[in-house]
Amino acid sequence: SQPKTPSKEDGEFRDYSHSEIARDAATIKNSVVMHLAATFLRTPSNIDSAHAYLASAFSVRDRLLQRWNLTNEYHDKIGAKRVYYMSLEFLIGRTFDNALLALQLRDEYANVLGDVGFRLEDAIDEERDAALGNGGLGRLAACYVDSMACSNYPGWGYGLRYKYGMFQQQIINGYQVEAPDCWLDSPNPWELPRPDIAYPVKFYGHLVRDPEHEHRYKWESDVVYDAMAFDVPVPGYGTNNVGNIRLWSCKTNTLFDLNKFNAGDYQGATGGQVAAQILTDVLYPNDNTNEGKELRLRQEYLFCSATMQDILARFKKSGKPLSELPDMAAIQLNDTHPTLGIPEMMRLLLDEEGLKWDEAWDITTRTFAFTNHTVLPEAMEKWPVPMLDKILPRHMGIIYDINLYFLQSVEKKFPGDRELLRSISVIEESNPQQVRMAYLACVGSHKVNGVAAIHSDIIKQTIFKDFVRVQGADKFINKTNGVSPRRWVNECNPDMSELITEVVGDRSWVNDLSKIKVLEEKVDDKDFCKRWWDAKQKNKGRLAEYILSTTGIKVSPNALFDVQVKRIHEYKRQLMNILGVVYRYHRLKQMTQEERDKELHRVVIFAGKAAAGYWVAKQVIKLINSVAEVVNSDEEIGDVLKVVFIPDYSVTAAEYIIPASDISQHISTAGTEASGTSNMKFVLNGGIILGTVDGANIEIGEEIGEEQIFFFGCLAHEVEDFRHYLRFHQPKPDTALQTAFDMIQRNTFGDAHIFQPLIDAVMRGGDVYLLSVDFPSYIEAHKAVEAAYRQRDEWVTKSILSVSRMAKFSSDRAIQEYAEEIWNAEPVPVRGSII
Amino acid sequence: SQPKTPSKEDGEFRDYSHSEIARDAATIKNSVVMHLAATFLRTPSNIDSAHAYLASAFSVRDRLLQRWNLTNEYHDKIGAKRVYYMSLEFLIGRTFDNALLALQLRDEYANVLGDVGFRLEDAIDEERDAALGNGGLGRLAACYVDSMACSNYPGWGYGLRYKYGMFQQQIINGYQVEAPDCWLDSPNPWELPRPDIAYPVKFYGHLVRDPEHEHRYKWESDVVYDAMAFDVPVPGYGTNNVGNIRLWSCKTNTLFDLNKFNAGDYQGATGGQVAAQILTDVLYPNDNTNEGKELRLRQEYLFCSATMQDILARFKKSGKPLSELPDMAAIQLNDTHPTLGIPEMMRLLLDEEGLKWDEAWDITTRTFAFTNHTVLPEAMEKWPVPMLDKILPRHMGIIYDINLYFLQSVEKKFPGDRELLRSISVIEESNPQQVRMAYLACVGSHKVNGVAAIHSDIIKQTIFKDFVRVQGADKFINKTNGVSPRRWVNECNPDMSELITEVVGDRSWVNDLSKIKVLEEKVDDKDFCKRWWDAKQKNKGRLAEYILSTTGIKVSPNALFDVQVKRIHEYKRQLMNILGVVYRYHRLKQMTQEERDKELHRVVIFAGKAAAGYWVAKQVIKLINSVAEVVNSDEEIGDVLKVVFIPDYSVTAAEYIIPASDISQHISTAGTEASGTSNMKFVLNGGIILGTVDGANIEIGEEIGEEQIFFFGCLAHEVEDFRHYLRFHQPKPDTALQTAFDMIQRNTFGDAHIFQPLIDAVMRGGDVYLLSVDFPSYIEAHKAVEAAYRQRDEWVTKSILSVSRMAKFSSDRAIQEYAEEIWNAEPVPVRGSII
C-alpha cells in the first residue's frame, strides 16, 4: 500500500513523535520493565543479566531511533548534502555503554538496573561485539561514522551484515583455531530490519543492446538476489543527531520451490535461498591480502549494487535532476573493496536512467572519492577479466569503456607513449588479463587520499606515480587517520577521563579534543602526576584481572606492561618482538639471582588474529605461546618476565588493554604500515610508543615531541637498498638475533622444527621485512625504554605531555578535513527545538 | 548466566510489571506512535496502513505479553495442573482483531488510528493469516487453545513454526496452482522468539546399553539439531488469562563450518544448517492422507522431542518427583501425528532420568490421552520399521518393548488367541513391517476419544474393536468438537452479534453460549426477524464484494447463497455438488424464459484447497471452474444461476463466507466425516445445513430439531452393503445423474476428456463414495431447500431457532468436557487483583 501523509492530524502525531521521551527514573524504569515483560517475557523471578542488558538496550534503542528519525527527517527537509562512507568492514564492537554515554543517561540506567538487582557493568558485559571487520580499516570506518554523528555531518556508513563476523580465535595447544562468530544468535538490539528497503541484484546473464542508444543495454539474467537493509543507529555524543550504518543482508527473491519440495527434492527447494544467503554469511577473514575468489567478488558487487540503488533512490526523493547528484551526495570508497560502485553507478545512470555517457561519467567522478590504505603488493585487489565478464558482463563492458576513454585522453596528452599507456591502463596485460581495482577507483574519483603523511607521499611515488603525471598532483592528498575520543578515551578510560575533565573544566573535550592542550600545565603538579600514575596503575590492575580470567596467567600490575596488539602479519613483525623476548630470557637466564632481582619487571602482552590461511602468521602465534609457556613456568624468572597471549582480540579486549599499556609496540618495517590507528589510541591513553619511523608514528612524534617516543630502525627510503643487500649478500645476523635463534633451535621452546621456517624466512628467504637489519636498534630501544621507565616522574611527564598534544589524532579532525576538502559537506545539527 | 531473583527490590519491580498498562487514549496513542517511530522507524510522512497495522499490533502485543507473563507466573505459583495440546497444525488465521476484542479495546484503537489518518478495517486487512494447518483438524486446535484461554484453563498448545504455511492456491486457467505461503516475510507481531528455550534433538546414530540397567541406553549420534521456541500468545476474551501456543523452529546446533568455507566449499559450510532448517520449512499440505516420507517422520520427531523435553523441564521446576507428573500435566495428542511423544517420554524417563520401565510406563500412560480424527484407511499413519530403526533407533527399541509387554498382557487375558495378537499388535506384520501409530497412541494413552457421537461409535466398532475387548469400553469416549464463539460469531458477524447481545442483555454469551437460548423467544417478533434477515443480507452483500474483488464475478445478494467450503476431497463430494449444478443448468436451459423467470436465483459458492498430489481433487476444481465459466457467461441464465470458486480458502476467507450463507452443504458419504466443524459455524451464523447423516450434522440436527436441517442420503450402516452392490452389480445411474454426465461428455464445459476420469470413478471405479446412490435424494433435498427459502418468515424462524439451540457446539463446552473427563484439570482464573 502507498504511504500517505496522515492529513489533518499530522500536527498531533508530530507532537507525539517529536517530544523526547522523558529522562526521569520512573520513565526509564517503566521502559526497561516493559521490555523485560513484553519483549522478552521475563517475570521478576526470571531475569538474568543477559535480559537486564537486553531490556535496557531496547529501552535505549527506542530513544536512539526516535532521534534517528528526526535526524533524517531534518536532513531531508533542509536538503542537506549527504556523505556515504562505503566500507566492507565496520568493526563496531559494543554499543550499549557508548549509547548510554552519548545520551548522558549512564547513571540513570545504572540506578534503574541497581533497583532491579543488577550491576550496569554486568549488563554491559553481556553484549557481544559486532565484529564486522578485520582490523584497523574496519575500526577506522566505525570511528568515522561516530565522528560524523558527533560532529553533525549528515553521514551514513554502508556495509554488509555478515551473519558470521570476524572469527573467534581459540588458542589450543598454542595454536590458533578459528571458530565461527555467531554474533546474531541472540537478539541484537542495535539493528533495525527494514524489510521495505530491499533491492534486486543481478548476476550472470547476457546483454541486449538498445539499438537507439550507443551505451544503453538491457541486462537479462535469471539469477537475481535481494539485498535487504538493516539500519544500525550511531549515537551522537552530546547532540541530537544520530548517524546510521546501513548494512545489507542477502536473500533470494526467488520463492521457495514448493514443487521441488513436494517431489522430495528438499535441497533443491531451498537451493536458491542458500546460494543467496551465502553472500552475506561471512566476513572474509583477511587483512591486507587480496582475496581473489568468485564469492568475494559477488559479495562486493551485492554491496555496491544495493548501495548505489539506495543512494539514487534517496536522492530521487528530492525531485532534483540527476546532474545535481554530486551536489547532494558524496561517496567515499574505503579501500578498493567498494570500487564496483563506480561501474554500477554508471550502469544505473546509462541503462536505467537513460543518461548519455559523458553526463553519467561527469556525475560519477564528481561524486566518488577514494581512500587508499596500503602499498603492499599482495593487498592490491585485482580481478581476472574472464571472471568479471562471466559474473558481471555489463560491468566488464563499462570498465572497458571507462579504460578506453581514459587511455584516449592519456594518448592525447602524451602522444605515442606506449609504455605509459601500458602501465597506467586499468586492465593489466597479464594472462589472463586483470582489472586493477585501485586504478579503476582512481580513474573514477575526483580525489584520492592516503591515510598518513608518509603513506600519501609513498603512493604518489609508487602506484599512482603515472596518475600524478597525467591527472596532476592536486588530485592526490593526505588525510591522516584519527580515532574517536568517545570510545577510545571517555568510554574505555573513565579514570583518566575524570582527570582530563577536571583540568579542562567540563567534558567538552570529548567532542573537541583541542581542549586537552591544557593538560600540559599540569606536568609540574606533583599531586596531579600521582593521580595520573594511579589511574594508569588501576587500568593495569583491571587488565591483570582480564588476563587472569582469559588465560589463567597471573601478572603483577607493578611490572612494565609492554603491549603489541594488532593483526598478526609479517610486516607488523610480532616475530621481532618475540625474538626480543627470547633474547631477554636468555640474558636473564645468564644472570645471577642477585642481578635478576635488579632487573625491571616486565609483562609482554600480545594479542591478535592471523588470517586463517596465513600459515607463517599462525606459526608466530605458536612461537609466542611456546615461549610464554616456558618463561612463565620458569621459577628462576618469576615476575621478572611474563609473556601473555590474550586470545580472541577484539574491540572490547582493546578497551581493556589499551588504557593499561606503559609501552606499546608499532614496529612495522618502515614504509609498510600506511598509518596505524592503535598507536594513536595508546598514546591518547597515556602510553608511550616504541616504534619504527613509519605510518602515523611519524606524525605522532612530530606532535608530541621526539622525547616522548622511542623510535628505532631503518627509514622508508633505505628499505629497497637493504632488501637488495640482504638478498644478494646474505650477511650473518648480529649476536643478539643469533642468540635468540640458537635458543629456539636448542628446543628450549619445544620441537625446534616447528619454528625453523620462521628462522629460515629471515636467514634464507631474503628477510623481506628487514628483521635482521632492525633487530640491534630494537634491542637498544628497549634498553632506553627501561631506563626511562625507572625515572617515574619523567615518565609521567612524557605521558601527560603526549596526551595533551594528541588533538590532531581525533577522528573528528579527520572527518572535518574530509568534509571540507573532499566532500564539500557541512555540519547540520538537528536543532534542539525539534525534540 | 544464572537467573537470579532481584532480591530486595522484588516488590518494586513487581509493582511495575503488575500494574496494567493504562487504557486511556493518550497511553494507547503514545504506544502506537512509539512503535511507529522506534520499532519501524516511521515518520509522519512515511506511514502506510501496513505500518499502522504493525505498530498497533505491537502495542496490543505489549499488553498481551504482560498478561501472558502474569498468567504463567500465577499458574506456577499455585501449582496448577497444566494441559498440553499437541498438534502438528494450528490454523490460527489473523490475531489482531481477535486480540482487540478480547482486550475490549477495539474502539479505542480505532479512534487512535483514525486520529493518525487510518481506518482500523484497513489495518486489520494488512495482517496475513497464520495458516499452519490444512483444515478442520488445525482449526479445531486453534479453537481449543482459544477456549482454554477464555475458560481460564492453564492450557498450552504445542506445534511447529513452519516457515511456509499452507500453500497459496492460485487458479490459473481453471486449475489449482500451488505457490508458497511466505507468511513470515514481513514482521510477525504475534510471536515471540525465545532463544533461551531450545532443546537438542538427535537423529540416527547408535545405542550403547548401560550394563547395569536393563532398559537404559546411551544414544550416540552426530546429527543433532536445535529446536527453538517461539511463543504465540492466545488472548483470553474478558479474562486476564492469556494462553500460549509454543511453536518449535529447527536450526542446527552444529556450527557453521568455517574451515569448509575457507576451503571454498560454501554449500558444505552451511550444509548442516540447511538440512536442519528444512525440518520446519513446510507444513505438509495433506489432509486425511498419511504422508509416509522420511522428512515428515523427522519433522514429527523434532516436534515430539522438543515438546517432551520442555514439558519435563517445566515440570521439574516444581521440584516434585517425576511420579507426580500425571498430577501436574496432561498431554492430549491431536491425531496420531504427535504419537512419537509417547516413546520419547519413555526414552527421557528411562535413559535421561534413570527410571525403571514400569515407573516410566505408568507415568507416561497416565499423562497421555489421544484423539482420533478419522477412520479413512488412507489416513492411518504407519511408519516402516526399517525407516524408524534407522532414524530413531532408540525409539524403535522402545516401541518393540511397549508392544511386547502389551501383547504379553493380552496373552495373559486371552491365552492362545493368535489372531487377536496379530490384529492388535502395534507392529503390522506386512513386508516391510509397519508401526501402526494409532495403535501405539491407544496403548500409550489412558483415554481415547472420537470427535462426534457417531464417529466415536464407529471407531469402537472398527479400528479399536479389539482394544475395546482387551482394555474395556470405558477407555473409549466421545468428545464432540466445538467452535469458538469469539471468532466464529462475535468477530466474524458483528451485526448478528449485536442482535444477540441486545436479546441477551449483555455480551456474556460470548463466553457462555448457553445464554443464546433466549433468542428463541424472538421468533415471533416481526421487527426482530426483519433485522435478523437484514443482518444476513448485509453479510451477503459483504461477501458479494469479496467475490467481486477476488474473482471478478458479480453476484446478487438477493439470490440464495449456497455454500460448500472445505478441503477438496472425494469423500466430501464436491463432485456431487457440481454435478447437481450441471443438472440444474440443464433443467434451466430446457425452460422457456418465462419459466426461468420464476426460478429461485441461486449463487453456488465453492472454496477449498486440494492436496498438491491429489490429482482427482484437482480435477474437481477444474470442473467447477469450467462449469462456472460457461454458466456465468450464459446470458439466458443471467442471475438465475451463478457458480463461484473463491480461490485460496483461508480462515480469513471463511470469516467473510460463513456469515453470508443461506444454505451450506456438508454432504460427505455417511460414516466418513468424523465430525466437521464448519457445519457448526454455518449454523451459529444463521445458515441452514443441507447435509448427510454424518459427523456432527447428526448432533446438530438433534439439538436444533430436524425441521431446521435438510438431511438426505444413505446412512452409515448401509454404506458397506451399497459399496458391495455397486462394485459387483454396476447399476445404471438415475436419469438426473446421467443427464449431468451427458452434458459434460458433450463438451459443454470444454474438452470432456479432461473430466472423464471423474465420471469413470463413479461409473466404473466402484463409486466408493456412493455418489450415484445419494444423487437422487440430494436433488430432492435441494428442491425442499428452495421451497423453504421461498417462505421467508419460516426460513428466518428456522435460522433464529437454529442459532438459539447451538450452545452445545461451543468449543468451551468441549474443553470443559475434556478437562473434567480426561485431563482432570480445573479453571484457574488469574485473580483480577494481580493486574
Side-chain angles (χ1 to χ4, degrees), chain A residues 53 57 60-61 64 91-103 124 127-130 139 183 188-191 232-235 245 487 491 651-652 655:
Chain A
Y53 156 64
V60 166
R61 159 186 143 140
L64 283 184
L91 197 42
I92 300 168
R94 292 173 173 171
T95 295
F96 184 39
D97 198 15
N98 187 253
L100 286 174
L101 289 166
L103 293 169
I124 287 172
E127 183 175 355
R128 291 188 69 158
D129 275 36
R139 182 54 229 174
W183 72 297
N188 176 8
W190 311 113
E191 66 173 16
V232 177
V234 179
I245 306 176
R487 183 173 298 264
E491 184 182 334
V651 170
T652 295
E655 289 176 44

Side-chain angles (χ1 to χ4, degrees), chain B residues 639-690:
Chain B
D639 272 351
V640 181
L641 180 61
K642 290 286 181 199
V643 183
V644 175
F645 188 95
I646 300 176
D648 204 34
Y649 186 56
S650 64
V651 170
T652 295
E655 290 176 42
Y656 282 104
I657 296 167
I658 289 172
S661 88
D662 293 309
I663 196 93
S664 69
Q665 300 196 32
H666 308 273
I667 56 177
S668 51
T669 312
T672 62
E673 186 75 271
S675 161
T677 45
S678 77
N679 42 9
M680 302 169 186
K681 294 166 198 163
F682 278 102
V683 180
L684 250 177
N685 282 276
I688 306 295
I689 286 181
L690 168 62

Side-chain angles (χ1 to χ4, degrees), chain A residues 5 80 160 211 252 421 580 634 641 774 799 832:
Chain A
T5 304
L160 289 182
T252 181
L421 290 173
D634 188 330
L641 180 61
D774 285 348
S799 172

